[in-house]
Amino acid sequence: MKTFLFCAFLLALSTGCAAMQPIDCPATLAVTSAASPPGDWQVVTPTGTRSLDRVGFYSGPPSEQVSLAPDSTVEGGGKSLDVWTFSPSTDEPLWVACFYVGTTLFIAKPMPHGMKRCSVNYATTRSGSRLRLAEAHCQ
């Protein structure tokens, strides 16, 4: 783990920290839903907002359902780090998606052209379960 973090630090130095751009997912998302229940059933709508859970990436608009898996995941030391490396030759625009706890709804937007690498860091429990998103950056 220490070797990986040191290599990540060297990569950040070689590419320039100014090139790092944080992913600006809103911390919460207000969600409403509607349903037409059958018979004597009633819709119960939970109140409140949903907290940010995780970040993901798509090749093209998410409606095309081309979700990208991380190229690597490193776990340990109370953290889990997912890293995506993008090919500069792709013609499809990359999209970032923000997912929230307790809903299948998510928000997404196109990323600036030329992003080559994104890393998403999560705080974890001792057993390795993800607790919360700690930080997310692209370059």
Side-chain angles (χ1 to χ4, degrees):
M1 177 68 176
K2 289 180 183 177
T3 303
F4 178 81
L5 291 176
F6 180 72
C7 291
F9 175 72
L10 288 179
L11 179 62
L13 285 178
S14 67
T15 58
C17 290
M20 299 287 285
Q21 295 182 13
I23 296 172
D24 59 348
C25 288
T28 60
L29 182 68
V31 175
T32 59
S33 61
S36 298
D40 59 349
W41 290 93
Q42 295 181 5
V43 174
V44 178
T45 306
T47 60
T49 57
R50 307 291 181 225
S51 298
L52 181 62
D53 183 44
R54 62 188 172 88
V55 172
F57 300 93
Y58 287 83
S59 177
S63 60
E64 295 177 3
Q65 300 181 356
V66 185
S67 177
L68 302 173
D71 294 304
S72 66
T73 299
V74 178
E75 297 176 342
K79 295 182 179 182
S80 177
L81 177 68
D82 291 339
V83 177
W84 287 259
T85 304
F86 306 115
S87 171
S89 63
T90 183
D91 291 332
E92 278 293 326
L94 295 170
W95 286 62
V96 60
C98 305
F99 297 90
Y100 294 84
V101 175
T103 181
T104 56
L105 299 175
F106 62 96
I107 58 175
K109 69 178 183 178
M111 295 174 54
H113 185 71
M115 291 294 159
K116 296 178 181 158
R117 183 177 184 272
C118 292
S119 59
V120 181
N121 199 354
Y122 298 90
T124 62
T125 63
R126 288 185 182 185
S127 66
S129 298
R130 291 181 175 177
L131 287 172
R132 62 179 166 73
L133 189 138
E135 63 180 349
H137 292 88
C138 293
Q139 55 189 32

